[in-house]
Amino acid sequence: PGLFDFKMPRASTGTGGSGASAKKKKWSKGKTKEKVVNLIMFDRATYEKMMKEAPTWKLITPSIMAERLKINGSLARVGLAELEKQGLIKAVAKSQSQSIYTRATAAQA
């Protein structure tokens, strides 16, 4: 017995279970996410819902607004700018990629 008492694994000669003769793996088609159809322009009902509900949310971002109101992301940014202009929400942080807002309380307004 030497210093190491284990056998080194040998390279397969091709008679094993894998290789060209073995069954090929069946690939699944993959899961596809259903495409959401969001609004690209405000209709009266969506605009009124935004004006009424969004100022009550504690955290307001374009992505949250787009998801909850089923609107497109660029429309959500326009809506947030409108809400901020009217003083209904307050900007917490703004960067090139993401804006974060919160509701404007009576003391802030």
Side-chain angles (χ1 to χ4, degrees):
L3 190 58
F4 302 104
D5 288 337
F6 59 86
K7 290 183 180 178
M8 293 299 288
R10 280 202 221 149
S12 177
T13 56
T15 57
S18 62
S21 62
K23 263 191 175 178
K24 286 210 158 89
K25 183 181 183 327
K26 297 253 191 302
W27 289 92
S28 67
K29 296 286 186 248
K31 293 180 181 172
T32 54
K33 190 178 176 191
E34 197 173 308
K35 183 99 173 95
V36 290
V37 183
N38 289 338
L39 295 176
I40 56 166
M41 286 181 71
F42 278 118
D43 54 10
R44 187 173 293 280
T46 309
Y47 182 79
E48 287 171 358
K49 185 177 179 183
M50 175 192 73
M51 296 305 265
K52 192 177 95 184
E53 289 181 14
T56 64
W57 302 336
K58 194 165 191 174
L59 174 70
I60 310 163
T61 64
S63 45
I64 289 172
M65 193 173 219
E67 193 176 307
R68 291 187 187 173
L69 298 176
K70 300 283 182 266
I71 59 176
N72 161 320
S74 57
L75 194 59
R77 288 195 302 272
V78 170
L80 286 170
E82 176 69 21
L83 287 165
E84 186 180 21
K85 192 170 82 176
Q86 292 187 17
L88 298 171
I89 61 175
K90 185 183 100 145
V92 175
K94 262 189 181 177
S95 72
Q96 186 178 349
S97 56
Q98 184 75 310
S99 322
I100 302 172
Y101 297 87
T102 189
R103 57 186 174 215
T105 58
Q108 295 167 348

